[in-house]
Amino acid sequence: METIEKYGIFEYTVKGVPSSAPTEGAATFRNGETVRQVHAFLTGAGEYRIRFMPEEEGLWNYQISICGREQEGTLQCVPNTGENHGKVMADGDCFRYTDGETYIPFGTTCYAWIHQTEELQEQTIKSLSESPFNKIRMCVFPKSMPYNNNNPDCYPFLKKEDGAWDVNRPDLVFWEKLDKRIMQLGELGIEADLILFHPYDRWGFAELSQEDSLTYLEYCVARLAAYRNIWWSLANEYEMLFRKSAEDWDAYGEMLQEQDIYGHLISVHNIFAPYPKRKWMTHCSIQYQASDLDKVLRWRQEYQIPVVIDECGYEGDLPFNWGSLTAFEMVHRFWWVMLRGGFCTHGETFHREDEILWWAKGGRLYGESAPRIAFLKALLYSLPGKRHLAEMDGKNPNEADTKDTEEDSLRPFLNRLADAPEEARETFMAVVRPLRLEGETWYLEYFNRNRPVYADLHLAKNRKYRAEVIDIWNMTREMIGEDLSGDVRVSLPAKEGTAILVTELSKTGQDKYKKTKI
Amino acid sequence: METIEKYGIFEYTVKGVPSSAPTEGAATFRNGETVRQVHAFLTGAGEYRIRFMPEEEGLWNYQISICGREQEGTLQCVPNTGENHGKVMADGDCFRYTDGETYIPFGTTCYAWIHQTEELQEQTIKSLSESPFNKIRMCVFPKSMPYNNNNPDCYPFLKKEDGAWDVNRPDLVFWEKLDKRIMQLGELGIEADLILFHPYDRWGFAELSQEDSLTYLEYCVARLAAYRNIWWSLANEYEMLFRKSAEDWDAYGEMLQEQDIYGHLISVHNIFAPYPKRKWMTHCSIQYQASDLDKVLRWRQEYQIPVVIDECGYEGDLPFNWGSLTAFEMVHRFWWVMLRGGFCTHGETFHREDEILWWAKGGRLYGESAPRIAFLKALLYSLPGKRHLAEMDGKNPNEADTKDTEEDSLRPFLNRLADAPEEARETFMAVVRPLRLEGETWYLEYFNRNRPVYADLHLAKNRKYRAEVIDIWNMTREMIGEDLSGDVRVSLPAKEGTAILVTELSKTGQDKYKKTKI
């Protein structure tokens, strides 16, 4: 009897099957009251495989039936260990692993890395292993655009005699490669945010019929859903796939939701505006422009699921505005989005004569943002407990400092603001109110590209706090106040890229939150 | 017979008038077919003054009639000289002086500078004289908000016995000061963008009744309209004056348009969203947020009048996001807005214990943006001829560079984009297309906070061009290509704050546009 770790993979291969369909038959797994069914997928001539991820410990009996070939057996599922925390799930406006472990996405982007040479793919894996990234956006299909002029060695399908893609004949060389890369990512603790369709295409994958598209997706589910680190991204820039309608996209989302028994994350990425809210959508995967910065709050409100800004431009120096962010701007966007309650994704596009740019092909990272993203990641992971987005004490940021004057000179204005139409007041507050991420015993505020020379903290009078100023670029934490209580003013360095971390000291006077060296 | 320079001021005082109304009577000025009529305004007990700006040369006969006191006379209007180019008018999406001279607004903001000590006001004038600014946003009424806790020495009106403002009794000490300051600004070539109402008020000026407001405006017109450098700004943040309705604002605009015989510029400044288009509105005066960056293009399209971003945050270090821009960001916003076809306004808010911040009180400039704004101003004024906003050659910025490859890898995507719904395509293009300001023989492109390492220029094949790279922060111009023609790639420094100026060389091969040392 095979022993499988919870969230691990059980596989069973059946040969001599009289079929050549991409998916066939079914396997039923039973563990007490729990019943799970998956399809087999083609792995060779007359050869099919069952792939199953048990999510409950104990004995699972299985029955496999593929074109009349019947198999039975039992597997034992034992507790997960080490870095295996299960799959990532949405949890309110955040994510977590199945076993409850914290997961905060720090993604990167290598659209077509699996379509490059073996050597380059291995280099990418090495670079990822040395990076902070725990999610990667990657396409099934190859990519065509500037710096993407090479053809891959193999494609997901073989061709018909007329040259059209035959989605009923998966190219198994390709799928074995994809298996291998997803598994490697899993070993590195990296979620594979797999982009199923995209428009940057010169081979015809963007033009598949709806029937062919669904056949392809069924194969994806049968073959890939058992990987605990798989996410389904229906599209990159879905609006640019003009062959597909909203009904088509909804059909994919509904089909994945139904056929993927594990309920992996499903999203769809836009070019113009986020895809409307749908039941099958587990989180938002948004491309946004610099002018959309303040919309993160609105999207959180509107969608009530995690908001991932999966594309906000790339660190680089290309002659395209989406590909020439400074490293500081990239890091700033991570902080900005995180401190509006969203999550952000990295990419890198430095011009190279060999056209090997990380954003498309992987390889090596040349930029300066990754270490700073690692700093932010370590900081966020070090903060205890559940976090949420909060307004600053409900105090208006424009409120006058009344320390030096008896008169609150802004009070009449604020009174008038209180009488303003709600929509106007909301718009105003969305722009001016500072927000913070807070846990039970800490809060983190980021000052954006602004550079205040001081901050007024409004702390509980009967508790003690410590304040640290964080330099997001130089990756330093410096104490700026200890034993703070009540309303207190602290000095800030008056430079861009500053954040402040306020931590409550334990009531015994001892600091229960040790300063973490990150 | 008095001789007055065109766009200068003719004044005539009548004493012993049996009235104490703020405005009285009328004066009619005739020059051939041209007839102009203005009201007299109170300047003392029983004393009224007529103030008139002749806009045509020649002899003007006038008849003055104030409460039965009749006067007649003739004045001779002679050509304007020196820096006197008349008033500033809207000209399509730009501005010009009445005599045709170019005017490009480079404004600053000192809301309450005339409400400070005499010494501080003089310091402000001195600072302005050493600055690049040729427009100033300033309030008639004093200002109440953080750093604005002091009361002025005098107010525009005297009070009634019950303590309410008596708009029928202007405080002449105040208005003499205002006269003096507007004249001083005029001598410096600075337009006084006079804010007539604003909400940051603790004295009650924001609560004037509609009748009182109109009385006040009539006095403003009679007294101030003859200054060639006056602009009417109905409000700062008009939405925050909850006592006033859209009808009220329209009444002010219509009244000014009707009573101001010179047709000075009229605008109204918002906090949330620009005031809707109106006939009385000569240009947009917009407060915008960083998230509105791309809207300058939309507003140009929508309003078809000059778009002035009169508030986009201030260089400073306050703990408010509107008041803690870095100098670089302030300069960047000037370039960004200018290169989207709009105009931008400066302000400065560095925390000071003495509360003398330029943005409210004037005084001295401490920031680093003003010299860079001067550099941009000198550059723009040095470029010959009429300018307009243009797309880059109609070429798509995402178009593949086909130099190194036979295959245009992006072509299928672009073909698909061409088939996209118009709205979607427009949205896309608004974000990605580079724009340039261009004249007949030059164009200027700004790369935003992006930092491309090269640019592909698409120049006429049968002409010769010179390209210079401009560093907006270090204020340098460096030649990066001479005798350029056709499609050519030039190297760029791959840093934020870069612009490129391309100038056509004369056909004889001689450069008719000398490099200007600015």
Side-chain angles (χ1 to χ4, degrees):
Chain A
M1 186 173 62
E2 203 166 343
T3 295
I4 305 289
E5 201 171 280
K6 189 156 68 162
Y7 317 123
I9 285 183
F10 169 77
E11 287 192 344
Y12 196 103
T13 302
V14 181
K15 297 190 179 183
V17 179
S19 172
S20 64
T23 59
E24 269 295 0
T28 305
F29 293 81
R30 285 192 174 77
N31 180 354
E33 297 295 299
T34 306
V35 183
R36 294 271 182 268
Q37 194 169 60
V38 297
H39 294 293
F41 57 91
L42 186 72
T43 51
E47 183 183 292
Y48 285 81
R49 190 171 303 162
I50 289 290
R51 204 174 260 169
F52 175 65
M53 170 174 71
E55 299 190 271
E56 287 176 22
E57 292 164 36
L59 292 180
W60 289 84
N61 297 313
Y62 55 84
Q63 292 180 299
I64 299 171
S65 171
I66 306 175
C67 298
R69 269 130 190 93
E70 310 287 336
Q71 315 282 341
E72 278 192 12
T74 303
L75 70 92
Q76 183 178 19
C77 178
V78 297
N80 52 314
T81 62
E83 296 306 307
N84 171 9
H85 298 290
K87 65 194 186 217
V88 172
M89 320 265 286
D91 180 22
D93 56 7
C94 292
F95 295 95
R96 62 171 172 79
Y97 288 102
T98 332
D99 73 352
E101 185 78 8
T102 299
Y103 174 80
I104 309 173
F106 285 84
T108 189
T109 311
C110 303
Y111 288 114
W113 76 279
I114 62 167
H115 295 283
Q116 311 308 318
T117 63
E118 176 72 16
E119 184 189 359
L120 187 51
Q121 290 176 65
E122 287 301 327
Q123 176 59 54
T124 304
I125 286 289
K126 182 168 183 297
S127 297
L128 286 169
S129 74
E130 295 160 356
S131 84
F133 303 116
N134 60 12
K135 175 171 103 72
I136 186 170
R137 300 184 67 235
M138 54 185 278
C139 299
V140 176
F141 298 126
K143 178 166 178 139
S144 176
M145 90 177 300
Y147 300 97
N148 289 263
N149 300 298
N150 55 325
N151 287 321
D153 290 338
C154 60
Y155 299 90
F157 317 119
L158 300 173
K159 284 187 168 176
K160 297 177 188 167
E161 281 188 9
D162 68 0
W165 294 114
D166 188 349
V167 298
N168 287 300
R169 292 169 60 216
D171 184 340
L172 300 171
V173 175
F174 171 85
W175 292 94
E176 282 159 21
K177 174 176 65 177
L178 182 56
D179 276 351
K180 176 179 161 186
R181 297 310 179 192
I182 292 172
M183 276 192 289
Q184 283 179 304
L185 293 171
E187 285 159 12
L188 296 175
I190 298 173
E191 303 296 302
D193 195 2
L194 194 68
I195 297 165
L196 299 166
F197 297 100
H198 70 83
Y200 292 89
D201 174 59
R202 63 174 178 266
W203 302 273
F205 298 113
E207 312 293 336
L208 292 181
S209 71
Q210 184 68 352
E211 187 186 347
D212 282 358
S213 296
L214 287 166
T215 301
Y216 150 65
L217 291 185
E218 281 163 14
Y219 192 76
C220 286
V221 172
R223 180 153 197 147
L224 306 177
Y227 294 115
R228 65 174 175 264
N229 63 320
I230 198 90
W231 297 20
W232 308 117
S233 175
L234 299 192
N236 206 57
E237 300 185 349
Y238 82 91
E239 303 100 310
M240 298 303 291
L241 287 141
F242 298 116
R243 179 86 188 252
K244 300 187 187 300
S245 66
E247 290 70 31
D248 292 343
W249 294 114
D250 286 342
Y252 304 152
E254 286 158 13
M255 176 273 199
L256 287 171
Q257 195 180 33
E258 189 184 309
Q259 294 204 8
D260 171 5
I261 61 169
Y262 312 105
H264 285 295
L265 294 166
I266 306 175
S267 68
V268 56
H269 166 278
N270 64 284
I271 184 170
F272 302 126
Y275 199 89
K277 189 173 182 179
R278 291 289 189 269
K279 282 198 178 135
W280 48 258
M281 194 187 295
T282 56
H283 65 286
C284 295
S285 169
I286 294 176
Q287 171 169 193
Y288 89 161
Q289 309 300 338
S291 61
D292 290 337
L293 277 172
D294 287 315
K295 292 187 187 154
V296 174
L297 287 177
R298 192 190 311 164
W299 291 323
R300 274 171 48 92
Q301 188 76 19
E302 181 180 341
Y303 286 85
Q304 305 270 333
I305 52 180
V307 172
V308 185
I309 303 303
D310 263 328
E311 194 175 346
C312 67
Y314 307 114
E315 181 188 0
D317 61 8
L318 297 192
F320 315 121
N321 60 2
W322 50 261
S324 51
L325 301 187
T326 62
F328 182 89
E329 180 67 23
M330 183 92 248
V331 176
H332 157 68
R333 291 185 183 193
F334 264 78
W335 277 83
W336 171 264
V337 170
M338 289 278 179
L339 269 288
R340 308 309 266 184
F343 305 97
C344 199
T345 299
H346 162 273
E348 194 184 284
T349 50
F350 285 100
H351 172 74
R352 293 175 56 83
E353 289 301 323
D354 67 7
E355 300 205 329
I356 299 176
L357 278 58
W358 176 263
W359 129 94
K361 298 182 177 174
R364 295 173 195 273
L365 285 162
Y366 298 92
E368 299 175 278
S369 68
R372 277 87 188 178
I373 293 167
F375 173 78
L376 170 61
K377 182 187 176 193
L379 175 68
L380 285 182
Y381 269 96
S382 76
L383 296 171
K386 280 215 136 189
R387 67 214 59 201
H388 63 277
L389 189 67
E391 279 188 48
M392 298 292 289
D393 296 321
K395 295 226 181 190
N396 187 295
N398 280 317
E399 193 164 3
D401 167 34
T402 53
K403 202 175 61 182
D404 299 316
T405 167
E406 288 297 297
E407 189 169 39
D408 183 348
S409 58
L410 199 62
R411 180 55 49 201
F413 174 86
L414 295 175
N415 290 345
R416 223 170 286 130
L417 183 63
D419 291 337
E422 187 175 340
E423 192 188 352
R425 202 171 63 243
E426 273 304 300
T427 307
F428 179 77
M429 293 306 291
V431 172
V432 303
R433 72 182 146 201
L435 296 169
R436 63 195 202 187
L437 273 186
E438 65 177 30
E440 201 191 334
T441 55
W442 56 268
Y443 76 79
L444 186 63
E445 186 188 357
Y446 174 54
F447 297 108
N448 195 359
R449 274 189 175 273
N450 295 110
R451 50 155 178 181
V453 72
Y454 67 85
D456 289 324
L457 311 183
H458 306 292
L459 307 170
K461 287 191 175 63
N462 56 348
R463 298 185 189 180
K464 293 283 185 188
Y465 298 85
R466 184 181 62 202
E468 291 167 88
V469 67
I470 293 170
D471 183 324
I472 74 164
W473 183 254
N474 292 314
M475 300 180 279
T476 57
R477 293 169 66 162
E478 190 196 335
M479 183 85 75
I480 52 169
E482 270 190 299
D483 286 325
L484 305 177
S485 293
D487 291 346
V488 59
R489 177 167 292 188
V490 292
S491 291
L492 295 174
K495 61 184 284 201
E496 287 182 303
T498 297
I500 188 169
L501 175 64
V502 176
T503 314
E504 187 187 343
L505 306 179
S506 71
K507 282 172 188 160
T508 63
Q510 268 200 313
D511 182 357
K512 61 183 170 184
Y513 303 108
K514 294 293 176 202
K515 180 169 173 177
T516 313
K517 191 78 185 170
I518 59 175
Chain B
M1 187 171 62
E2 203 166 343
T3 295
I4 304 288
E5 202 171 279
K6 189 156 67 162
Y7 317 123
I9 285 184
F10 169 78
E11 288 192 343
Y12 196 102
T13 302
V14 180
K15 298 189 178 184
V17 179
S19 172
S20 63
T23 58
E24 267 298 358
T28 306
F29 293 80
R30 286 192 173 80
N31 180 353
E33 297 295 301
T34 307
V35 182
R36 295 269 184 271
Q37 195 169 60
V38 297
H39 294 292
F41 56 91
L42 186 73
T43 50
E47 182 184 289
Y48 284 82
R49 191 172 301 163
I50 289 291
R51 203 173 261 170
F52 175 64
M53 168 172 71
E55 298 191 273
E56 285 176 24
E57 292 162 36
L59 292 180
W60 290 83
N61 297 313
Y62 57 83
Q63 292 180 299
I64 298 172
S65 173
I66 306 175
C67 297
R69 269 130 192 92
E70 310 289 333
Q71 314 283 340
E72 276 192 12
T74 304
L75 69 93
Q76 184 179 20
C77 177
V78 297
N80 53 314
T81 62
E83 297 303 309
N84 171 8
H85 298 291
K87 65 195 186 215
V88 172
M89 321 263 289
D91 180 21
D93 56 8
C94 293
F95 296 95
R96 63 171 172 79
Y97 288 103
T98 331
D99 74 351
E101 186 77 9
T102 300
Y103 174 80
I104 309 173
F106 285 84
T108 189
T109 312
C110 303
Y111 289 115
W113 75 280
I114 62 167
H115 295 283
Q116 310 310 317
T117 64
E118 176 73 15
E119 184 190 359
L120 186 51
Q121 291 177 62
E122 288 301 325
Q123 177 58 55
T124 304
I125 287 288
K126 181 165 185 296
S127 297
L128 285 169
S129 73
E130 295 160 355
S131 86
F133 303 116
N134 60 12
K135 176 171 102 70
I136 186 169
R137 301 184 67 236
M138 54 186 277
C139 300
V140 176
F141 298 126
K143 179 168 177 138
S144 177
M145 92 177 295
Y147 299 97
N148 289 263
N149 300 300
N150 54 325
N151 287 322
D153 291 336
C154 58
Y155 299 89
F157 317 118
L158 300 173
K159 285 187 169 176
K160 297 177 188 168
E161 282 189 9
D162 67 0
W165 294 113
D166 188 349
V167 298
N168 288 301
R169 291 169 61 217
D171 184 340
L172 300 172
V173 175
F174 172 83
W175 292 94
E176 281 158 24
K177 174 176 66 176
L178 182 55
D179 275 350
K180 175 180 163 187
R181 297 310 179 193
I182 291 173
M183 276 192 289
Q184 283 180 305
L185 293 171
E187 285 159 12
L188 296 174
I190 298 173
E191 303 296 303
D193 197 1
L194 194 68
I195 297 166
L196 299 166
F197 297 100
H198 70 84
Y200 291 89
D201 175 59
R202 64 173 178 266
W203 302 274
F205 299 111
E207 313 293 338
L208 291 181
S209 71
Q210 183 68 353
E211 189 187 344
D212 283 356
S213 296
L214 287 166
T215 301
Y216 151 64
L217 291 185
E218 281 163 16
Y219 191 76
C220 286
V221 171
R223 180 154 196 145
L224 306 177
Y227 292 115
R228 65 174 176 264
N229 64 318
I230 198 88
W231 298 21
W232 307 117
S233 175
L234 300 192
N236 205 60
E237 302 184 349
Y238 82 91
E239 303 101 309
M240 298 304 291
L241 287 140
F242 299 115
R243 179 86 188 254
K244 299 185 187 302
S245 66
E247 290 69 31
D248 293 343
W249 293 113
D250 287 342
Y252 304 152
E254 286 158 13
M255 176 275 200
L256 288 172
Q257 195 181 35
E258 190 184 307
Q259 295 205 9
D260 171 6
I261 61 168
Y262 312 104
H264 285 296
L265 294 165
I266 306 175
S267 69
V268 54
H269 166 278
N270 64 285
I271 185 171
F272 304 127
Y275 199 88
K277 190 175 179 177
R278 291 288 189 269
K279 282 197 179 135
W280 49 259
M281 194 188 293
T282 57
H283 65 285
C284 296
S285 169
I286 295 176
Q287 173 169 192
Y288 89 162
Q289 309 299 341
S291 61
D292 290 337
L293 277 173
D294 287 315
K295 291 186 188 155
V296 175
L297 287 178
R298 193 193 308 163
W299 291 323
R300 274 171 48 91
Q301 188 76 20
E302 182 180 338
Y303 286 86
Q304 304 272 333
I305 51 180
V307 173
V308 185
I309 303 304
D310 262 328
E311 193 174 347
C312 67
Y314 307 113
E315 181 188 358
D317 61 7
L318 298 192
F320 314 122
N321 60 3
W322 51 260
S324 52
L325 301 186
T326 63
F328 183 88
E329 180 67 21
M330 182 92 250
V331 176
H332 158 67
R333 290 185 184 193
F334 264 78
W335 277 82
W336 171 265
V337 169
M338 289 278 179
L339 269 288
R340 309 308 264 185
F343 305 96
C344 199
T345 299
H346 163 273
E348 195 183 285
T349 49
F350 285 100
H351 172 75
R352 292 174 57 82
E353 289 299 325
D354 66 9
E355 299 206 331
I356 300 176
L357 279 57
W358 176 264
W359 128 95
K361 298 183 178 174
R364 295 172 196 273
L365 286 161
Y366 299 93
E368 297 176 279
S369 67
R372 277 86 187 177
I373 293 167
F375 173 78
L376 170 61
K377 183 187 177 195
L379 176 69
L380 285 182
Y381 268 97
S382 77
L383 297 171
K386 282 213 132 188
R387 66 214 59 201
H388 63 277
L389 190 68
E391 281 189 46
M392 299 292 289
D393 297 320
K395 296 222 180 190
N396 187 294
N398 280 317
E399 192 164 6
D401 167 34
T402 54
K403 203 177 60 181
D404 299 317
T405 167
E406 290 296 298
E407 188 172 39
D408 183 346
S409 57
L410 201 61
R411 180 54 49 200
F413 174 85
L414 295 176
N415 290 344
R416 223 170 286 130
L417 182 63
D419 292 337
E422 188 175 336
E423 191 190 353
R425 202 171 64 244
E426 274 303 300
T427 307
F428 180 77
M429 293 306 291
V431 173
V432 304
R433 72 182 148 197
L435 295 170
R436 65 196 198 184
L437 273 187
E438 65 178 27
E440 202 191 335
T441 56
W442 57 268
Y443 76 78
L444 185 63
E445 187 188 356
Y446 174 53
F447 297 108
N448 196 358
R449 273 191 176 272
N450 296 110
R451 51 155 178 183
V453 73
Y454 67 85
D456 289 324
L457 310 184
H458 306 292
L459 307 170
K461 288 191 175 64
N462 56 347
R463 297 183 189 180
K464 293 284 185 187
Y465 298 85
R466 185 182 61 202
E468 292 166 89
V469 68
I470 292 170
D471 183 324
I472 74 165
W473 183 254
N474 292 313
M475 300 180 278
T476 57
R477 292 169 65 164
E478 189 195 335
M479 182 84 74
I480 51 169
E482 270 190 298
D483 286 325
L484 305 176
S485 294
D487 292 346
V488 59
R489 177 168 291 188
V490 292
S491 291
L492 295 175
K495 61 183 285 201
E496 286 181 303
T498 297
I500 186 170
L501 175 64
V502 176
T503 315
E504 188 187 341
L505 306 179
S506 71
K507 280 170 189 160
T508 64
Q510 269 199 312
D511 182 359
K512 60 181 171 184
Y513 303 107
K514 295 293 178 201
K515 180 169 173 179
T516 313
K517 191 76 184 172
I518 58 174

